[in-house]
């Protein structure tokens, strides 16, 4: 028997990550990438000192309570950790870590794609070409909204939000933001701060969500707040679906209050509200913000750095509980 710590890895990870994992740990891998339901997750955790999960595994208070005693750390392969009940973990003395920084570029890239794809009617255009239904061209054909020079509101100017602001400046966008507090000038780089979200919404030609999903931010974008946006505004969410209320968002898209939406993060993934797919003015991606080969390797290595620190008796760099 090996004396290496046993780590339950819930999903198939990049090859280089699994290779490094195998050097220092007794890794229980998931080569078929099967999705473990609650009971299976708890069962498979027996004898493991650590778990390396993705956001697809839910560590509710109930699951945490039933985890075997020997499990000491949950080293997430994700920056978001809304799938873990952090208070329940703290209560049990479980260490929880995440993978910040390494996915900011990839997620900001996808955000720009959502913004441009929604504004320039990418879904409609692609469908026309692929279905061979494209028959004609005219000056009025597939006219969208210009991104260049518009006002972009960023809800949460954190790691990802800051990279989005930089990329958007490349399109001469004017950056506005709402966060818990005003950030230092070197971070703001000229962005305009709003203490109240409600004061920012009327100036957002585009609104992009980059805050964490917490009880305070859940359902933040509701009917009243969508109504405060300029008519025809474009809504982008590559963070978490929990931040927007599905009914409110769909109604705003149906009524034309919103011109379009670019979405990568939904409520109830992957069984999302079917109305999103029926709307012509949505540009939809399946939660792939961090899905680049470079970033997925970096996320895995970051999770391993956290495990290494923990099992060396040190404080993991990205401890959130
Ligand atoms: C990941 C994400 O794909 O890191 C996050 O919080 O939302 C995604 O980019 C996913 O969470 C991996 O577990």
């Amino acid at each position: 028997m090996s004396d290496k710590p046993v780590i339950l890895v819930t999903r198939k990870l990049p090859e280089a990550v699994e290779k490094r994992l195998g050097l220092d740990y007794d890794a229980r891998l998931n080569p078929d990438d099967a999705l473990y339901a609650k009971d299976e997750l708890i069962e498979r955790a027996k004898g493991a000192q650590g778990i390396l999960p993705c956001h697809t595994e839910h560590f509710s208070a109930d699951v945490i309570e039933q985890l075997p005693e020997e499990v000491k750390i949950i080293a997430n392969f994700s920056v978001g950790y809304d799938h873990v009940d952090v208070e329940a973990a703290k209560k049990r003395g479980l260490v929880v870590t995440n993978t910040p920084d390494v996915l900011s570029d990839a997620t900001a890239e996808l955000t720009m794609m959502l913004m441009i794809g929604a504004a320039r009617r990418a879904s409609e255009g692609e469908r026309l070409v692929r279905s061979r239904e494209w028959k004609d061209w005219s000056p009025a054909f597939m006219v969208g909204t210009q991104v260049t020079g518009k006002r972009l509101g960023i809800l949460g100017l954190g790691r990802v939000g800051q990279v989005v602001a930089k990329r958007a400046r490349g399109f001469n966008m004017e950056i506005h933001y709402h966060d818990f507090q005003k950030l230092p000038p070197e971070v703001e780089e000229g962005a305009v701060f709003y203490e109240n979200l409600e004061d920012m919404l009327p100036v957002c030609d585009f609104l992009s969500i980059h805050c964490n999903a917490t009880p305070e931010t859940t359902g933040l974008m509701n009917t009243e707040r969508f109504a405060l946006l300029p008519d025809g505004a474009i809504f982008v969410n590559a963070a978490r679906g929990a931040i927007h209320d599905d009914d409110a968002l769909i109604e705003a898209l149906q009524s034309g209050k919103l011109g379009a939406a670019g979405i990568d993060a939904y409520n109830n993934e992957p069984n999302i509200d079917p109305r999103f797919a029926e709307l012509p003015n949505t540009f939809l991606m399946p939660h792939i913000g961090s899905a680049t080969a470079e970033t997925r390797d970096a996320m895995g290595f970051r999770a391993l750095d956290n495990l290494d620190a923990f099992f060396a008796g040190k404080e993991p760099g990205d401890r959130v509980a």
Side-chain angles (χ1 to χ4, degrees):
M1 249 194 63
S2 120
D3 55 1
K4 294 173 179 174
V6 176
I7 305 296
L8 171 65
V9 182
T10 63
R11 303 303 301 267
K12 186 165 169 46
L13 297 180
E15 207 180 312
V17 176
E18 291 195 346
K19 201 167 158 204
R20 180 176 141 190
L21 191 64
L23 298 177
D24 302 315
Y25 300 95
D26 183 352
R28 284 187 193 158
L29 301 178
N30 181 354
D32 300 328
D33 204 24
L35 194 57
Y36 300 151
K38 178 184 149 193
D39 290 343
E40 190 174 2
L41 181 64
I42 295 165
E43 183 60 32
R44 285 183 182 268
K46 281 187 184 154
Q49 283 85 61
I51 305 180
L52 201 168
C54 293
H55 78 279
T56 43
E57 286 70 54
H58 297 274
F59 293 89
S60 59
D62 174 42
V63 170
I64 287 178
E65 207 171 286
Q66 293 181 62
L67 281 180
E69 196 52 41
E70 53 276 21
V71 176
K72 303 291 180 218
I73 177 166
I74 297 177
N76 288 298
F77 181 91
S78 66
V79 65
Y81 49 91
D82 49 307
H83 57 287
V84 180
D85 187 323
V86 167
E87 288 316 310
K90 281 185 188 158
K91 219 162 110 192
R92 225 203 83 152
L94 252 183
V95 170
V96 180
T97 60
N98 69 342
T99 59
D101 304 317
V102 291
L103 42 64
S104 303
D105 282 332
T107 309
E109 263 179 25
L110 191 95
T111 302
M112 295 309 295
M113 174 174 145
L114 292 175
M115 212 183 285
I116 297 168
R120 300 302 299 271
R121 305 171 58 173
S123 282
E124 279 176 85
E126 242 243 342
R127 225 171 7 242
L128 267 182
V129 178
R130 284 187 188 277
S131 66
R132 316 287 299 268
E133 284 168 40
W134 176 30
K135 300 283 183 242
D136 192 11
W137 186 95
S138 88
F141 175 60
M142 285 245 3
V143 172
T145 302
Q146 186 135 325
V147 174
T148 302
K150 293 288 167 61
R151 300 167 298 179
L152 168 64
I154 296 182
L155 176 43
L157 196 66
R159 288 175 290 253
V160 178
Q162 287 168 30
V163 184
V164 169
K166 280 194 197 336
R167 304 293 173 259
R169 282 188 194 101
F171 284 82
N172 290 338
M173 294 186 93
E174 191 182 292
I175 313 299
H176 300 256
Y177 76 100
H178 166 70
D179 211 315
F180 299 118
Q181 58 188 25
K182 188 168 158 55
L183 294 157
E186 65 274 19
V187 176
E188 282 185 331
E189 291 188 62
V192 183
F193 171 67
Y194 296 80
E195 198 173 335
N196 298 311
L197 174 59
E198 288 74 11
D199 294 335
M200 177 177 83
L201 294 175
V203 304
C204 299
D205 301 314
F206 288 75
L207 174 69
S208 193
I209 307 298
H210 297 290
C211 59
N212 294 327
T214 64
E216 292 72 38
T217 60
T218 296
L220 196 60
M221 284 313 297
N222 56 17
T223 303
E224 292 72 32
R225 294 198 177 93
F226 279 120
L228 293 174
L229 289 165
D231 289 347
I234 291 176
F235 176 76
V236 171
N237 191 350
R240 285 292 184 268
I243 319 296
H244 66 247
D245 176 84
D246 278 355
D247 285 339
L249 174 53
I250 288 162
E251 276 158 29
L253 285 162
Q254 284 168 339
S255 70
K257 172 68 204 176
L258 285 177
I263 313 174
D264 184 54
Y266 307 79
N267 288 296
N268 201 26
E269 295 174 8
N271 303 311
I272 66 166
D273 191 314
R275 291 175 294 172
F276 283 117
E278 285 156 17
L279 284 161
N281 51 351
T282 52
F283 180 57
L284 308 174
M285 285 291 128
H287 197 140
I288 55 159
S290 64
T292 67
E294 297 87 342
T295 293
R296 287 286 156 83
D297 278 354
M299 289 167 73
F301 294 142
R302 188 88 175 213
L304 290 186
D305 291 345
N306 286 318
L307 283 177
D308 290 353
F310 177 79
F311 286 106
K314 297 182 195 145
E315 180 73 3
D318 305 313
R319 187 167 179 179
V320 294

